[in-house]
Amino acid sequence: MEPSLVNKVNEWLTPTFDEATQAAIREMMTTNPKELEESFYKNLEFGTGGMRGIMGVGTNRINRYTLGKNTQGLSDYLKQAFPGEALKVVIAYDCRHNSDTLAKVVADVFSANGIHVYLFSELRPTPELSFALKHLQCHAGIVLTASHNPPEYNGYKVYWQDGGQLVPPQDEAIIEVIENVRYDAIQFTANADLIEYIDSAIDEAFVASTLANASFNTPKEAREGLKIVYTSLHGTSIKAIPAVLTAAGYTDLNIVKEQAEPNGDFPTVKSPNPEEPEALTMALQLADAIGADIVIGTDPDSDRLGVAVRNTQNEMVLLNGNQTMIIMTAYLLEQWKRAGKINGKQFIGSTIVSTPMMLELASAYQVECKVGLTGFKWIAKFIKDFPELQFIGGGEESFGYMVGDAVRDKDAVGATLLVCEIAAQAKAAGSSLFQELLNLYLDHGYYKEHLISLTKKGISGLQEINQMMIDMRQNPVAEINGQRIVCIEDYQTSKGRDVLNGSEFELTIPKSNVLIYYLEDGSKICARPSGTEPKIKFYFSVNAPLASLEEIGAVEAILDEKIKNCIADMGLDA
């Protein structure tokens, strides 16, 4: 091993670390040196959705020491940022293994630093943490979650005063403080008087807020007439979504019982990710058995939702994140328009890897569409940075949506209520959610997106991902699928280039390792290493006008062929 790596390992064999940790390291030294290297070769870093990693010992793992170091650094920073104030934080956690004990470790460190801690007594959805932070007027919030990652993962997400995740400049400043924290300086001994457990009172306030933000005067008969199948995929949304839908008046709610119990092993699915069709298999089977109108599934921490509805052949189909985002945004815009609330001082939010159709909707309703990097922290930052504008709603392709600004992160609880409102009203009017989507394509053009996600684990995987991005930057192709590349945006250099005339322009979005190609036929291809998983993702967006619904099959076939050819040209179909 490299000397720097040996030094890291040796530090963890000192009395600063408990005997169990030292014993686990010695075991790896003799039986699994490769795992030892993987555990220490780098420090876990904050990515798109906070810090996520495999649980275990070492600097590249989630454990009491890496999270204790984060929390000690955050405590130090809070004291610098708010001198003389009585500091308050709120902590929530999900269904994952060790989430409850790690949450208590985090609470202990905060309290040992003289900070008042509100700690949820049981697991709760991530959006409730964002809500609780503002509701309790805290300075920061933490949620222990790894979202939809596999069972061996956990994570640590930090939220700031506005209820949104850390963004510049706080993130870089906090990370700098954390990096300077020594492990022997972490204060683990709790001040029990400063830890206050919270539960039902916050739950009731969260439900009331969700009803106020995401319900739209749907008639009682329409709500009762919508047959819903819902699965929490063993996660936290079971603590909120049934209560919200029941309070709203949805009486025909059918829960997938086999997946209703929170369980960090996620025993009935390969992946607890509603982006994956397999995850909703049991829900779709129940929907067909009872003739349901809509299926909704959420990920473990309840920030993402998957939606399946009946198509024009009465078959259940899973909508992608771009489609659900378009449906919900168009509905909200129409509601605001009918209420006379659109006056040019409103905006919707999206991301650079999401469907360009959001820009079309914004133009049609004469509102602004603010586009940021991947992750809802950037949409939340727009709300904070532009207080003179009203935020209507926003989303991203990865199955997340945010209704209004009561929650400053993607919120599967509010989005579930909203999509049920749309479906119930459509059904009562003799339409359907799927038909409403087709109508939007007719009005604004048919946009179709596709995602290729390549998993590259470990040290070699990270090197391979880095090399792929280097190759695309240093050796850019001139055309894809017979279409010239007319523009390239490189968010790592903050430079865009008009390929046809050679001119360059500045990108105002913060730097990120993202590369986007724009083709002359309006297609868009984006390459982006994930900030939270060992993956590199390629996003494809193609579009075409749609003159009539009768043409949709032929137009869809053309778009599918475009995507297929683009993937082949880029060598991603192997």
Side-chain angles (χ1 to χ4, degrees):
M1 288 193 297
E2 294 182 3
S4 61
L5 202 59
V6 173
N7 291 337
K8 278 187 177 183
V9 173
N10 285 337
E11 181 186 3
W12 281 58
L13 292 173
T14 65
T16 296
F17 299 85
D18 60 59
E19 271 301 322
T21 296
Q22 295 181 52
I25 293 171
R26 292 191 186 96
E27 176 72 15
M28 282 193 288
M29 291 172 72
T30 56
T31 64
N32 199 343
K34 181 172 175 52
E35 175 61 23
L36 182 69
E37 186 178 8
E38 292 280 355
S39 299
F40 282 93
Y41 84 96
K42 67 173 184 175
N43 295 340
L44 274 181
E45 299 173 348
F46 281 87
T48 308
M51 177 181 282
R52 293 185 205 167
I54 296 171
M55 290 177 278
V57 300
T59 60
N60 190 34
R61 295 290 185 258
I62 294 288
N63 52 65
R64 66 181 274 109
Y65 297 103
T66 51
L67 297 195
K69 185 175 181 178
N70 285 353
T71 308
Q72 183 63 52
L74 182 55
S75 299
D76 294 342
Y77 181 83
L78 285 168
K79 292 177 182 179
Q80 295 172 19
F82 305 102
E85 292 191 30
L87 298 172
K88 299 186 294 182
V89 300
V90 57
I91 302 171
Y93 58 91
D94 71 2
C95 60
R96 289 180 176 272
H97 298 304
N98 304 314
S99 279
D100 53 350
T101 54
L102 289 172
K104 182 59 167 62
V105 169
V106 172
D108 289 349
V109 175
F110 276 130
S111 69
N113 281 274
I115 297 170
H116 189 95
V117 179
Y118 296 102
L119 175 62
F120 277 100
S121 59
E122 292 181 313
L123 75 172
R124 288 297 189 279
T126 289
E128 186 169 352
L129 181 279
S130 173
F131 169 81
L133 198 164
K134 291 202 298 174
H135 183 75
L136 294 168
Q137 297 181 312
C138 291
H139 296 82
I142 305 291
V143 62
L144 279 296
T145 178
S147 187
H148 57 279
N149 284 61
E152 64 270 23
Y153 280 75
N154 214 318
Y156 182 96
K157 291 169 73 171
V158 183
Y159 292 76
W160 208 238
Q161 274 187 305
D162 65 320
Q165 290 184 54
L166 282 183
V167 292
Q170 280 83 14
D171 58 352
E172 294 165 2
I174 289 170
I175 289 168
E176 184 178 349
V177 173
I178 289 171
E179 287 176 349
N180 289 322
V181 170
R182 303 189 322 272
Y183 285 106
D184 61 5
I186 303 170
Q187 299 183 49
F188 282 112
T189 305
N191 179 347
D193 293 338
L194 292 179
I195 300 177
E196 179 180 344
Y197 288 91
I198 54 175
D199 39 47
S200 58
I202 303 300
D203 296 340
E204 291 166 7
F206 178 57
V207 170
S209 173
T210 303
L211 292 172
N213 279 286
S215 57
F216 289 88
N217 300 315
T218 302
K220 179 175 181 291
E221 298 77 14
R223 286 173 172 163
E224 293 175 350
L226 186 70
K227 187 179 286 290
I228 305 164
V229 166
Y230 154 72
T231 176
S232 61
L233 296 179
H234 305 289
T236 61
S237 71
I238 198 72
K239 293 287 186 180
I241 285 179
V244 165
L245 292 179
T246 299
Y250 288 93
T251 56
D252 201 347
L253 176 62
N254 303 273
I255 299 173
V256 180
K257 295 178 181 177
E258 299 90 338
Q259 297 176 328
E261 186 69 26
N263 187 330
D265 287 324
F266 313 112
T268 65
V269 293
K270 291 179 182 177
S271 169
N273 185 357
E275 293 180 79
E276 304 289 343
E278 180 274 335
L280 296 183
T281 298
M282 295 180 76
L284 291 169
Q285 289 171 346
L286 177 58
D288 283 337
I290 65 173
D293 301 303
I294 188 169
V295 167
I296 295 169
T298 57
D299 69 344
D301 68 327
S302 188
D303 58 5
R304 302 177 190 226
L305 79 161
V307 178
V309 294
R310 297 202 176 275
N311 64 13
T312 52
Q313 284 77 48
N314 203 37
E315 302 163 330
M316 272 288 173
V317 292
L318 180 63
L319 303 178
N320 63 43
N322 286 301
Q323 291 171 320
T324 54
M325 170 171 57
I326 288 299
I327 291 169
M328 289 189 276
T329 303
Y331 177 85
L332 289 174
L333 287 167
E334 185 63 24
Q335 295 301 309
W336 279 61
K337 179 181 177 181
R338 290 180 183 179
K341 296 196 298 182
I342 292 180
N343 59 9
K345 295 183 178 180
Q346 291 75 37
F347 77 97
I348 59 175
S350 186
T351 71
I352 57 176
V353 300
S354 299
T355 177
M357 192 172 171
M358 286 289 280
L359 298 170
E360 296 295 326
L361 286 178
S363 176
Y365 283 89
Q366 297 182 314
V367 301
E368 187 175 352
C369 181
K370 291 189 176 295
V371 179
L373 295 174
T374 301
F376 268 68
K377 63 185 180 183
W378 301 108
I379 297 178
K381 189 174 188 297
F382 288 142
I383 298 172
K384 181 170 65 173
D385 289 349
F386 298 94
E388 72 278 10
L389 300 180
Q390 292 175 289
F391 176 68
I392 295 175
E396 62 181 6
E397 56 77 36
S398 60
F399 286 55
Y401 201 80
M402 182 164 66
V403 188
D405 64 357
V407 169
R408 301 287 177 93
D409 202 353
K410 50 184 175 284
D411 175 10
V413 181
T416 292
L417 177 56
L418 175 60
V419 81
C420 286
E421 292 283 273
I422 303 168
Q425 291 180 18
K427 183 180 180 182
S431 181
S432 69
L433 204 67
F434 190 81
Q435 187 62 50
E436 294 303 302
L437 176 63
L438 298 184
N439 292 341
L440 289 171
Y441 288 150
L442 194 59
D443 291 341
H444 305 286
Y446 193 173
Y447 285 75
K448 189 156 193 179
E449 281 76 29
H450 184 74
L451 171 66
I452 295 281
S453 184
L454 305 179
T455 300
K456 308 284 184 180
K457 294 185 177 180
I459 301 171
S460 62
L462 179 62
Q463 292 171 343
E464 189 175 351
I465 289 171
N466 289 339
Q467 191 60 49
M468 291 174 77
M469 294 299 293
I470 290 170
D471 290 343
M472 282 186 286
R473 286 190 167 96
Q474 293 183 349
N475 305 294
V477 295
E479 64 175 45
I480 298 174
N481 187 30
Q483 297 291 319
R484 290 181 301 171
I485 294 174
V486 297
C487 182
I488 300 174
E489 293 177 346
D490 188 344
Y491 288 85
Q492 187 160 273
T493 62
S494 296
K495 297 286 186 182
R497 180 163 61 91
D498 185 320
V499 177
L500 300 184
N501 63 27
S503 63
E504 288 194 347
F505 53 92
E506 294 290 325
L507 300 173
T508 58
I509 292 174
K511 291 181 183 293
S512 183
N513 190 12
V514 180
L515 195 64
I516 299 180
Y517 296 142
Y518 294 91
L519 280 56
E520 60 184 332
D521 66 351
S523 300
K524 173 184 170 185
I525 301 169
C526 173
R528 169 187 164 264
S530 172
T532 53
E533 301 171 275
K535 293 180 178 180
I536 182 168
K537 298 182 177 183
F538 295 88
Y539 306 80
F540 298 84
S541 178
V542 296
N543 66 86
L546 185 64
S548 70
L549 292 180
E550 288 72 29
E551 295 180 6
I552 197 162
V555 173
E556 183 171 28
I558 292 170
L559 296 181
D560 285 339
E561 187 68 15
K562 271 189 181 183
I563 292 172
K564 178 183 174 183
N565 292 340
C566 288
I567 292 170
D569 261 16
M570 295 182 69
L572 300 174
D573 56 348

Short mmCIF file of all heavy atoms in Angstrom, two decimals, residues 452 472 475-485 517 519 525 538 540 561-574:
data_model
loop_
_atom_site.label_atom_id
_atom_site.label_comp_id
_atom_site.label_asym_id
_atom_site.label_seq_id
_atom_site.Cartn_x
_atom_site.Cartn_y
_atom_site.Cartn_z
N ILE A 452 -29.08 5.92 -20.19
CA ILE A 452 -28.14 4.79 -20.10
C ILE A 452 -27.28 5.03 -18.87
O ILE A 452 -26.64 6.08 -18.73
CB ILE A 452 -27.22 4.71 -21.34
CG1 ILE A 452 -28.03 4.40 -22.60
CG2 ILE A 452 -26.13 3.67 -21.12
CD1 ILE A 452 -28.42 2.97 -22.78
N MET A 472 -14.09 12.20 -24.11
CA MET A 472 -15.15 12.96 -24.78
C MET A 472 -14.78 14.43 -24.90
O MET A 472 -15.18 15.10 -25.86
CB MET A 472 -16.47 12.79 -24.03
CG MET A 472 -17.17 11.45 -24.31
SD MET A 472 -18.80 11.34 -23.57
CE MET A 472 -18.36 11.11 -21.85
N ASN A 475 -11.42 14.48 -27.45
CA ASN A 475 -11.67 13.95 -28.80
C ASN A 475 -13.16 14.01 -29.13
O ASN A 475 -13.80 12.98 -29.34
CB ASN A 475 -11.16 12.51 -28.92
CG ASN A 475 -9.70 12.39 -28.54
OD1 ASN A 475 -8.83 12.93 -29.20
ND2 ASN A 475 -9.43 11.68 -27.44
N PRO A 476 -13.75 15.19 -29.17
CA PRO A 476 -15.19 15.29 -29.42
C PRO A 476 -15.54 14.84 -30.84
O PRO A 476 -14.79 15.12 -31.79
CB PRO A 476 -15.49 16.78 -29.23
CG PRO A 476 -14.19 17.46 -29.51
CD PRO A 476 -13.13 16.52 -29.04
N VAL A 477 -16.67 14.13 -30.96
CA VAL A 477 -17.11 13.70 -32.28
C VAL A 477 -17.78 14.86 -33.00
O VAL A 477 -18.26 15.81 -32.38
CB VAL A 477 -18.10 12.51 -32.17
CG1 VAL A 477 -17.39 11.29 -31.59
CG2 VAL A 477 -19.29 12.88 -31.29
N ALA A 478 -17.81 14.78 -34.33
CA ALA A 478 -18.39 15.86 -35.14
C ALA A 478 -19.88 15.65 -35.37
O ALA A 478 -20.63 16.61 -35.57
CB ALA A 478 -17.66 15.97 -36.48
N GLU A 479 -20.30 14.38 -35.38
CA GLU A 479 -21.72 14.10 -35.59
C GLU A 479 -22.11 12.82 -34.88
O GLU A 479 -21.28 11.96 -34.58
CB GLU A 479 -22.04 14.01 -37.08
CG GLU A 479 -21.36 12.88 -37.82
CD GLU A 479 -21.82 12.77 -39.27
OE1 GLU A 479 -21.91 13.82 -39.95
OE2 GLU A 479 -22.12 11.65 -39.71
N ILE A 480 -23.38 12.71 -34.60
CA ILE A 480 -23.97 11.51 -33.99
C ILE A 480 -25.25 11.20 -34.75
O ILE A 480 -26.07 12.09 -34.98
CB ILE A 480 -24.27 11.73 -32.49
CG1 ILE A 480 -22.97 12.01 -31.71
CG2 ILE A 480 -24.98 10.51 -31.89
CD1 ILE A 480 -23.19 12.38 -30.25
N ASN A 481 -25.40 9.95 -35.15
CA ASN A 481 -26.58 9.52 -35.92
C ASN A 481 -26.77 10.36 -37.18
O ASN A 481 -27.88 10.73 -37.55
CB ASN A 481 -27.84 9.58 -35.03
CG ASN A 481 -29.06 8.98 -35.71
OD1 ASN A 481 -28.94 8.07 -36.53
ND2 ASN A 481 -30.24 9.52 -35.39
N GLY A 482 -25.66 10.72 -37.82
CA GLY A 482 -25.75 11.49 -39.06
C GLY A 482 -26.12 12.94 -38.87
O GLY A 482 -26.32 13.67 -39.85
N GLN A 483 -26.22 13.38 -37.64
CA GLN A 483 -26.59 14.76 -37.34
C GLN A 483 -25.37 15.50 -36.78
O GLN A 483 -24.71 15.02 -35.86
CB GLN A 483 -27.74 14.81 -36.32
CG GLN A 483 -29.03 14.18 -36.79
CD GLN A 483 -29.69 14.98 -37.89
OE1 GLN A 483 -29.72 16.21 -37.84
NE2 GLN A 483 -30.21 14.29 -38.90
N ARG A 484 -25.08 16.67 -37.35
CA ARG A 484 -23.96 17.45 -36.86
C ARG A 484 -24.20 17.94 -35.43
O ARG A 484 -25.33 18.30 -35.07
CB ARG A 484 -23.73 18.66 -37.76
CG ARG A 484 -23.19 18.35 -39.14
CD ARG A 484 -22.97 19.63 -39.94
NE ARG A 484 -24.21 20.39 -40.09
CZ ARG A 484 -24.29 21.63 -40.59
NH1 ARG A 484 -23.18 22.25 -40.97
NH2 ARG A 484 -25.45 22.24 -40.71
N ILE A 485 -23.13 17.93 -34.67
CA ILE A 485 -23.18 18.57 -33.35
C ILE A 485 -23.03 20.07 -33.57
O ILE A 485 -22.02 20.52 -34.13
CB ILE A 485 -22.09 18.02 -32.43
CG1 ILE A 485 -22.36 16.54 -32.13
CG2 ILE A 485 -22.00 18.82 -31.13
CD1 ILE A 485 -21.28 15.86 -31.35
N TYR A 517 -24.04 17.66 -25.58
CA TYR A 517 -24.01 17.86 -27.02
C TYR A 517 -25.41 18.23 -27.50
O TYR A 517 -26.39 17.58 -27.11
CB TYR A 517 -23.61 16.57 -27.75
CG TYR A 517 -22.21 16.05 -27.49
CD1 TYR A 517 -21.97 14.69 -27.39
CD2 TYR A 517 -21.13 16.92 -27.37
CE1 TYR A 517 -20.69 14.19 -27.17
CE2 TYR A 517 -19.85 16.44 -27.14
CZ TYR A 517 -19.64 15.06 -27.04
OH TYR A 517 -18.38 14.59 -26.82
N LEU A 519 -27.56 18.51 -31.08
CA LEU A 519 -27.50 18.11 -32.47
C LEU A 519 -28.38 19.01 -33.33
O LEU A 519 -29.31 19.65 -32.82
CB LEU A 519 -27.92 16.65 -32.64
CG LEU A 519 -26.86 15.57 -32.32
CD1 LEU A 519 -26.30 15.72 -30.91
CD2 LEU A 519 -27.44 14.17 -32.52
N ILE A 525 -27.81 15.33 -25.95
CA ILE A 525 -27.16 14.20 -25.29
C ILE A 525 -26.26 14.73 -24.20
O ILE A 525 -25.43 15.62 -24.42
CB ILE A 525 -26.34 13.36 -26.29
CG1 ILE A 525 -27.25 12.82 -27.41
CG2 ILE A 525 -25.64 12.20 -25.57
CD1 ILE A 525 -26.49 12.20 -28.56
N PHE A 538 -25.72 8.65 -19.21
CA PHE A 538 -25.89 9.32 -20.49
C PHE A 538 -27.39 9.56 -20.71
O PHE A 538 -28.18 8.61 -20.69
CB PHE A 538 -25.32 8.47 -21.62
CG PHE A 538 -23.84 8.28 -21.54
CD1 PHE A 538 -23.30 7.23 -20.80
CD2 PHE A 538 -22.97 9.15 -22.18
CE1 PHE A 538 -21.92 7.04 -20.72
CE2 PHE A 538 -21.59 8.98 -22.10
CZ PHE A 538 -21.07 7.93 -21.36
N PHE A 540 -30.42 11.00 -23.09
CA PHE A 540 -30.77 11.28 -24.47
C PHE A 540 -32.16 11.92 -24.51
O PHE A 540 -33.09 11.43 -23.87
CB PHE A 540 -30.79 9.99 -25.30
CG PHE A 540 -29.46 9.30 -25.37
CD1 PHE A 540 -29.05 8.44 -24.36
CD2 PHE A 540 -28.60 9.52 -26.44
CE1 PHE A 540 -27.82 7.81 -24.40
CE2 PHE A 540 -27.36 8.89 -26.50
CZ PHE A 540 -26.96 8.03 -25.48
N GLU A 561 -36.07 5.13 -32.86
CA GLU A 561 -34.98 4.80 -33.76
C GLU A 561 -33.84 5.81 -33.61
O GLU A 561 -32.65 5.44 -33.64
CB GLU A 561 -35.48 4.77 -35.20
CG GLU A 561 -34.47 4.27 -36.23
CD GLU A 561 -34.16 2.80 -36.08
OE1 GLU A 561 -34.90 2.08 -35.39
OE2 GLU A 561 -33.15 2.36 -36.67
N LYS A 562 -34.18 7.08 -33.43
CA LYS A 562 -33.16 8.11 -33.21
C LYS A 562 -32.32 7.78 -31.98
O LYS A 562 -31.09 7.83 -32.01
CB LYS A 562 -33.82 9.48 -33.03
CG LYS A 562 -34.05 10.27 -34.30
CD LYS A 562 -34.48 11.68 -33.93
CE LYS A 562 -34.76 12.52 -35.16
NZ LYS A 562 -35.10 13.90 -34.80
N ILE A 563 -33.00 7.47 -30.89
CA ILE A 563 -32.30 7.17 -29.64
C ILE A 563 -31.42 5.94 -29.81
O ILE A 563 -30.25 5.93 -29.39
CB ILE A 563 -33.31 6.97 -28.48
CG1 ILE A 563 -34.00 8.30 -28.14
CG2 ILE A 563 -32.62 6.40 -27.25
CD1 ILE A 563 -35.14 8.17 -27.16
N LYS A 564 -31.97 4.91 -30.43
CA LYS A 564 -31.22 3.67 -30.65
C LYS A 564 -29.95 3.93 -31.46
O LYS A 564 -28.86 3.44 -31.12
CB LYS A 564 -32.11 2.65 -31.38
CG LYS A 564 -31.43 1.34 -31.72
CD LYS A 564 -32.37 0.45 -32.51
CE LYS A 564 -31.66 -0.82 -32.99
NZ LYS A 564 -32.56 -1.66 -33.82
N ASN A 565 -30.06 4.72 -32.51
CA ASN A 565 -28.91 5.01 -33.36
C ASN A 565 -27.87 5.87 -32.64
O ASN A 565 -26.66 5.70 -32.83
CB ASN A 565 -29.36 5.70 -34.65
CG ASN A 565 -30.15 4.78 -35.55
OD1 ASN A 565 -30.06 3.56 -35.43
ND2 ASN A 565 -30.94 5.36 -36.46
N CYS A 566 -28.34 6.82 -31.83
CA CYS A 566 -27.40 7.65 -31.06
C CYS A 566 -26.60 6.79 -30.08
O CYS A 566 -25.38 6.95 -29.94
CB CYS A 566 -28.16 8.73 -30.30
SG CYS A 566 -28.82 10.06 -31.33
N ILE A 567 -27.29 5.88 -29.41
CA ILE A 567 -26.62 4.98 -28.45
C ILE A 567 -25.57 4.13 -29.17
O ILE A 567 -24.44 3.97 -28.69
CB ILE A 567 -27.66 4.10 -27.74
CG1 ILE A 567 -28.54 4.96 -26.82
CG2 ILE A 567 -26.99 2.98 -26.95
CD1 ILE A 567 -29.75 4.22 -26.26
N ALA A 568 -25.94 3.60 -30.34
CA ALA A 568 -25.00 2.77 -31.11
C ALA A 568 -23.80 3.58 -31.58
O ALA A 568 -22.65 3.12 -31.49
CB ALA A 568 -25.73 2.14 -32.29
N ASP A 569 -24.05 4.79 -32.07
CA ASP A 569 -22.95 5.63 -32.56
C ASP A 569 -21.95 5.97 -31.46
O ASP A 569 -20.76 6.14 -31.72
CB ASP A 569 -23.53 6.93 -33.13
CG ASP A 569 -23.65 6.88 -34.65
OD1 ASP A 569 -23.59 5.76 -35.20
OD2 ASP A 569 -23.81 7.94 -35.26
N MET A 570 -22.44 6.06 -30.22
CA MET A 570 -21.57 6.40 -29.11
C MET A 570 -20.94 5.16 -28.46
O MET A 570 -20.22 5.27 -27.47
CB MET A 570 -22.35 7.20 -28.06
CG MET A 570 -22.83 8.56 -28.56
SD MET A 570 -23.69 9.51 -27.31
CE MET A 570 -22.36 9.92 -26.17
N GLY A 571 -21.24 3.98 -29.02
CA GLY A 571 -20.65 2.74 -28.52
C GLY A 571 -21.16 2.33 -27.16
O GLY A 571 -20.46 1.65 -26.39
N LEU A 572 -22.40 2.72 -26.84
CA LEU A 572 -22.96 2.42 -25.52
C LEU A 572 -23.92 1.24 -25.55
O LEU A 572 -24.57 0.94 -24.55
CB LEU A 572 -23.70 3.65 -24.98
CG LEU A 572 -22.84 4.91 -24.79
CD1 LEU A 572 -23.71 6.09 -24.39
CD2 LEU A 572 -21.75 4.68 -23.76
N ASP A 573 -24.02 0.56 -26.71
CA ASP A 573 -24.97 -0.54 -26.83
C ASP A 573 -24.31 -1.89 -26.65
O ASP A 573 -24.93 -2.94 -26.86
CB ASP A 573 -25.67 -0.50 -28.19
CG ASP A 573 -24.69 -0.52 -29.36
OD1 ASP A 573 -23.48 -0.33 -29.12
OD2 ASP A 573 -25.13 -0.72 -30.50
N ALA A 574 -23.04 -1.89 -26.26
CA ALA A 574 -22.32 -3.15 -26.09
C ALA A 574 -22.80 -3.89 -24.84
O ALA A 574 -23.20 -3.28 -23.87
CB ALA A 574 -20.83 -2.88 -25.99
#
